[in-house]
C-alpha cells in the first residue's frame, strides 16, 4: 500500500494555515516602522492582566476561558519604534494601503476572488501576545486554488492581520513580551482540507511559499513565516497544530499526529474493554505526604497554601505509561492538560515509587482512595488553587478520552515533530467587529489593475537559459534571499570573464551557508564585500580558490575590506613563472610516481600544488600547466 493509499484508508483530512509577514514600510494600523529591533533595551515597560469577556452573541469562548486560568501578569517592552497603538492607549489608524495591495497581489496569485469590502474584526487572544486581548484581522478573499502534483488544493481564506508581540522572557508569575513585532502586517492563508498525505502537505506549503516569495514583498528569515496544520482521521477529530516554522517538519508533524490519534483510539478501546471509569472526586491526600522525602512535594508544602491532591482512574493501571508518540506517553498528554492550570507537572502510579515517593506512601494512598492494583492514581502538589484546577482538568480529559478517544484541541508543534496540548479549539464566540477601523472598499477595477509578478518557478527556468545555469543552481539562486545581489553581480561581468554565473551562485548558495553551518557569523558580509571579491577575481588579483578563505576571514573581521582580507591572508596571486618553476621541480621529484600513473598523476599532484599556493592560483591554470609538464616528461621518456 502506497503512502497516499495508507492515509486515504485512514480517512486523513489535512489543511494548512500559513502566516506570512509582509515587507511593507510601516505596520498595519499605525505609522511605526515595520522592523524587528536588534536590542531589547526598552524605553518603556508596562503590564496588563487579561480577562475573558462575553461576546456580542452572549457567549464566552472556551479557548479564552482556558487561557485565563493561569491568571498571569503580562509585561510589555516598548521602544522609540513603537507607539500608543501598540500600547493600546490610542485607537488604530486605517488599514495600511501598501499592505492591502501586497495582500491582493497574493490573492491574484492564488486565483481568489476579493471581498467587495474589507471589514476588520477582533479575534480574542488571551495569551498576552496582544496588549488589547485580541488580534485584528480582516477577510480579504476566498475561492482560490494552488496547483500540486496530487491535484488542486482549494484556498478557502485569505486574511490580512496584525502580527502578535514576541515573547522574550518569563519572570516567576509573569510573561515578558517585546512590542517591536506587534502590528507587523501578515497574511493568513487557509487551505481546504484537500491534502491527502504528509508529503502532499509539504508540497502544498512549498508551492504557497513559492507564490508568496514571488511577490518580492514578504519578509524572509526565521519566524517570518509559520505554518499551522489542521489534521483529522476518520475515527478521530480535527486538531490544529500551531507554530510549524521549518518546512521540512510538516511531513513529520502530520505523520506523528496521525500516530497519536490512532494510539489514543487504541487506548480508548482498551479502557472500554476493561470497563474503566473516572471517579469524579478530587481527594486531599496532603496528610499522607507530611513527612515525604519527595523534593517536589516538600517544596509545594512549604507554601502555606500548598496541597497534594489526587484522583482515581478505575481500570487505568498500565495505560498511563502507553506511548502515543515517540518519547511521549499518555501520561504526558494528561500532564499537558494539568499544566494549563500553572502546575509544573504530576505523578502517576504507572511510574511510582520514584522521585522520592515511597511504596509505603503509595500503599496508604491506595487504601485511602479504595484503589486496587488495576486502578491508576494521579497526584499533583502545588498551591491549592492551581493543584485543584489541575486535577479538575485531569478528570475532564480522561473522561473525554473514555468517551471520544481523541478530543478537538489546539496543539503546539515541538521541535522533534511531536506536539503538546495548548487549549481547546476556539469557536465563533472569539470573533466580533472592530469598530475603530473603517471598512475598505475593493473595486474589481482596482483588483484587475494590480500587476502579477513573474513566479519564481518561471524565473528559475528563464535564469537557467539566460545565465547558462543548470536547473538546480537556477532554483537555488532564484529562491534565495540573495537574488538581488546575484543580479547586481552578474551585470558587472561579460561572458568571457573569470567570474561566471555558476561561480557566483555557488558562492552565495553553497559556500556562505556552509560557513553559517560551521558557526561563523555571516551577517557582517555585505554586498560591497562580494562586489570587491568578484572584481578581484575578474582582474586576476586573486584566484577563485581564495573565495572560501576570504569570506571566512571577513566573517571574523567584517570591518575589513576584501582587499584587506586578501592582503592579510597573503592571497594576492603569484606569477605564471613561479607556478611553472614549482611544477617543473615537482615533476622531477615525482618521476617514479608519474612513470607508474602516467597522465593519471595529474590529479594527485595538483593537490600538492594547490596546497602550496593555497588560494593564490587558479585551479584551471594549475591543471593545464601540470598536464603539459607531465606530458612533456612522458614524451621524453
Amino acid at each position: 500500500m502506497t503512502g497516499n493509499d495508507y492515509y486515504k484508508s485512514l480517512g486523513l483530512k489535512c489543511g494548512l494555515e500559513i502566516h506570512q509577514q509582509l515587507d511593507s514600510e510601516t505596520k498595519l494600523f499605525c505609522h511605526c516602522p515595520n522592523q524587528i529591533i536588534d536590542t531589547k533595551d526598552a524605553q518603556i515597560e508596562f503590564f496588563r492582566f487579561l480577562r475573558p469577556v462575553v461576546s456580542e452573541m452572549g457567549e464566552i469562548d472556551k479557548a479564552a476561558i482556558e487561557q485565563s486560568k493561569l491568571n498571569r501578569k503580562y509585561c510589555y517592552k516598548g521602544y522609540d519604534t513603537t507607539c500608543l497603538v501598540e500600547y493600546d492607549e490610542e485607537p488604530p489608524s486605517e488599514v495600511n494601503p501598501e499592505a492591502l495591495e501586497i495582500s491582493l497581489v497574493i490573492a491574484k496569485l492564488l486565483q481568489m476572488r476579493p471581498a467587495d469590502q474589507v471589514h476588520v474584526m477582533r479575534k480574542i487572544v488571551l495569551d498576552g501576545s496582544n496588549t488589547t486581548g485580541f488580534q485584528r484581522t480582516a477577510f480579504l478573499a476566498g475561492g482560490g486554488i494552488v496547483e500540486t502534483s496530487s491535484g488542486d488544493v482549494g484556498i478557502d481564506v485569505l486574511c490580512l492581520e496584525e502580527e502578535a508581540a514576541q515573547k522574550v522572557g518569563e519572570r516567576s508569575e509573569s510573561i515578558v513580551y517585546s512590542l517591536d513585532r506587534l502590528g507587523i502586517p501578515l497574511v493568513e492563508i487557509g487551505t481546504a482540507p484537500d491534502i491527502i498525505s504528509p508529503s502532499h502537505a509539504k508540497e502544498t506549503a512549498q508551492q504557497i511559499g513559492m507564490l508568496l516569495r514571488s511577490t518580492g514583498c514578504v519578509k524572509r528569515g526565521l519566524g517570518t513565516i509559520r505554518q499551522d496544520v489542521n489534521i483529522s482521521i476518520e475515527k478521530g477529530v480535527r486538531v490544529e497544530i500551531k507554530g510549524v516554522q521549518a518546512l521540512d517538519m510538516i511531513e513529520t508533524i502530520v505523520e506523528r499526529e496521525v500516530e497519536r490519534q490512532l494510539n489514543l483510539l487504541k487506548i480508548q478501546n482498551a479502557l472500554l474493554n476493561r470497563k474503566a471509569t473516572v471517579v469524579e472526586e478530587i481527594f486531599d491526600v496532603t496528610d499522607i505526604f507530611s513527612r515525604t522525602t519527595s523534593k517536589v512535594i516538600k517544596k509545594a508544602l512549604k507554601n502555606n497554601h500548598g496541597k497534594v491532591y489526587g484522583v482515581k482512574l478505575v481500570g487505568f493501571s498500565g495505560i498511563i505509561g502507553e506511548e502515543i508518540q515517540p518519547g511521549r506517553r499518555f501520561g504526558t498528554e494528561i500532564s499537558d492538560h494539568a499544566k494549563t492550570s500553572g502546575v509544573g507537572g504530576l505523578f502517576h502510579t504507572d511510574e511510582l515509587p520514584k522521585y522520592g515517593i515511597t511504596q509505603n506512601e503509595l500503599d496508604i494512598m491506595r487504601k485511602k482512595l479504595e484503589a486496587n492494583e488495576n486502578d491508576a492514581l494521579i497526584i499533583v502538589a502545588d498551591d491549592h488553587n492551581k493543584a485543584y484546577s489541575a486535577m479538575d482538568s485531569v478528570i475532564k480529559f480522561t473522561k473525554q478520552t473514555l468517551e471520544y478517544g481523541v478530543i478537538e484541541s489546539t496543539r503546539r508543534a515541538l521541535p522533534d515533530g511531536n506536539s503538546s496540548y495548548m487549549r481547546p479549539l476556539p469557536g465563533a464566540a472569539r470573533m466580533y467587529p472592530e469598530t475603530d477601523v473603517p471598512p475598505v472598499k475593493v473595486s474589481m477595477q482596482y483588483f484587475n489593475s494590480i500587476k502579477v509578478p513573474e513566479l519564481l518557478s518561471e524565473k528559475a527556468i528563464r535564469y537557467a537559459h539566460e545565465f547558462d545555469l543548470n536547473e538546480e543552481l537556477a532554483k537555488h539562486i532564484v529562491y534565495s534571499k540573495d537574488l538581488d545581489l546575484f543580479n547586481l553581480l552578474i551585470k558587472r561581468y561579460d561572458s568571457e570573464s573569470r567570474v561566471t554565473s555558476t561561480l557566483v551562485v555557488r558562492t552565495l548558495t553553497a559556500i556562505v551557508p556552509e560557513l553559517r553551518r560551521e558557526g561563523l557569523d555571516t551577517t557582517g558580509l555585505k554586498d560591497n564585500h562580494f562586489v570587491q571579491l568578484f572584481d578581484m577575481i575578474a582582474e586576476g588579483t586573486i584566484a577563485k580558490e581564495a573565495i572560501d578563505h576570504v569570506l571566512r576571514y571577513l566573517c571574523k573581521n567584517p570591518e575589513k575590506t576584501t582587499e584587506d582580507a586578501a592582503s592579510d591572508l597573503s592571497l594576492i596571486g603569484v606569477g605564471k613563472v613561479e607556478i611553472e618553476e614549482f611544477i617543473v621541480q615537482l615533476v622531477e621529484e615525482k618521476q617514479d610516481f608519474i612513470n607508474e600513473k602516467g597522465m593519471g598523476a595529474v590529479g594527485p599532484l595538483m593537490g600538492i600544488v594547490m596546497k602550496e599556493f593555497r588560494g593564490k592560483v587558479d585551479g584551471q591554470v594549475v591543471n593545464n600547466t601540470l598536464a603539459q609538464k607531465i606530458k612533456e616528461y612522458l614524451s621524453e621518456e
Side-chain angles (χ1 to χ4, degrees), residues 43-109:
Q43 278 77 50
I44 184 174
E45 286 197 26
F46 60 94
F47 65 88
R48 294 275 192 275
F49 289 97
L50 302 176
R51 301 283 186 270
V53 296
V54 176
S55 75
E56 292 187 340
M57 302 298 291
E59 302 172 350
I60 300 179
D61 179 60
K62 58 185 178 181
I65 293 173
E66 184 143 323
Q67 284 180 320
S68 68
K69 281 165 47 176
L70 293 175
N71 193 31
R72 276 184 167 160
K73 178 180 177 180
Y74 298 109
C75 299
Y76 299 98
K77 291 176 174 283
Y79 315 93
D80 55 8
T81 58
T82 54
C83 73
L84 294 176
V85 174
E86 283 93 347
Y87 307 159
D88 191 31
E89 297 291 345
E90 179 178 289
S93 302
E94 295 182 358
V95 174
N96 180 341
E98 182 190 6
L100 179 61
E101 183 161 325
I102 296 170
S103 304
L104 292 173
V105 170
I106 294 168
K108 292 192 81 167
L109 289 174

Side-chain angles (χ1 to χ4, degrees), residues 467-486:
F467 300 114
D468 194 26
L469 294 167
N470 66 43
E471 183 179 330
E472 197 62 29
L473 285 178
K475 282 184 178 178
H476 276 316
I477 193 61
V478 163
Y479 283 73
S480 165
K481 60 182 177 60
D482 293 316
L483 178 58
D484 289 341
L485 177 57
F486 171 81

